[in-house]
Amino acid sequence: MKNTLLGSIYLALAASIWGGMYVVVKVVVSVIPPLELVWMRYLVAIIALLIIGLVKKQSWRIHRRDILLISIIGIVGNTISIVTQEIGTNLSTAQMGAIITSSTPAFMVLFARLLLNERLNLKKCLSVGLATSGVFLIVGNGQIDMSNQLGGISLLIAALTWALMSVLLKRVPSHYSPIVVTTYSILVAIIILTPFVLGRLDEINFSQLTHPSIWGGILYLGIVSTACAFILWNRGLQLLNASSGGLFFFFQPLVGTILGWLLLGENIGGTFWIGSILILSGVLLVIREEK
């Protein structure tokens, strides 16, 4: 019971932090392109993680047999998922970003069945169908232009890859600290992204980086949304099974929608809420199944 409670708190905190992240990304990405922003936040994050690891005297040793798995986690989750998430958020709204990626729990149910052999019954299949319908309802809204649709597709890729990464984390031996796993997976992402970013840094107007909202946003994204939230998410998944853990991802759209409305003045349309209700219904089916 204690592990369940702690795991629930860790996952809820991580998802809530990511819900607020969309508003920050919408501000910072106006100055720093998505790919460069991911690279910068990772540089900040890995410094923070190394400091945390040194303070907590972590062992950084990884067995050779686990290197490939952690590398795949870094490629799928920390590279592909985060880059497509930033691109999608840039091309859409903070609300759409939070809602579409909230389909992650349903996709986690599917990947958990395929990779972890967790039970997949009619209710879980129905939850995947409802959430997917909600996603396509939001992406296919006729009132949004093509850039929003491309943003929605990018966010859908982000949701799929994040779900896959989250399930793969369950295959990482539990004796590894979430700090160590997070650090190495982010290091893999930095190595992959650096060749693509270095030649594009001259396109950034560095004078704008001195504005508090920009450098403050980068620090928030690196320290809070990446280093701290990733540790919380990884630790929470160690304490709960993949199907149950993914459910807490729904804290993300709730926070993202509220902050997008309060801080960015984004409107909430009827189709948006219908899609949200379908996604929520899918998630609730899984919650009832896990009780």
Side-chain angles (χ1 to χ4, degrees), residues 32-50:
I32 305 172
L35 189 64
E36 288 78 4
L37 177 57
V38 174
W39 184 73
M40 287 184 179
R41 66 182 277 196
Y42 279 165
L43 290 181
V44 173
I46 203 163
I47 293 172
L49 287 165
L50 289 173

Side-chain angles (χ1 to χ4, degrees), residues 243-260:
S243 298
S244 298
L247 303 175
F248 294 88
F249 214 81
F250 202 76
F251 280 86
Q252 179 174 317
L254 296 179
V255 175
T257 299
I258 292 171
L259 292 180

Side-chain angles (χ1 to χ4, degrees), residues 61-69 176:
R61 184 173 180 271
I62 297 289
H63 292 294
R64 183 176 299 177
R65 65 177 180 271
D66 300 319
I67 292 177
L68 177 60
L69 176 58
Y176 290 125

Side-chain angles (χ1 to χ4, degrees), residues 18 22 54 71 104 147 150-151 163 175 185 213 235 249 257 285-286:
W18 290 328
Y22 287 98
L54 291 174
S71 298
T104 298
S147 65
L150 292 175
H175 63 266
S185 60
S213 64
R235 179 54 178 159
F249 214 81
T257 299
L285 276 178
V286 178

Side-chain angles (χ1 to χ4, degrees), residues 230-244:
F230 278 28
I231 291 173
L232 290 169
W233 185 257
N234 292 355
R235 179 54 178 159
L237 287 175
Q238 286 182 339
L239 299 175
L240 297 177
N241 63 52
S243 298
S244 298

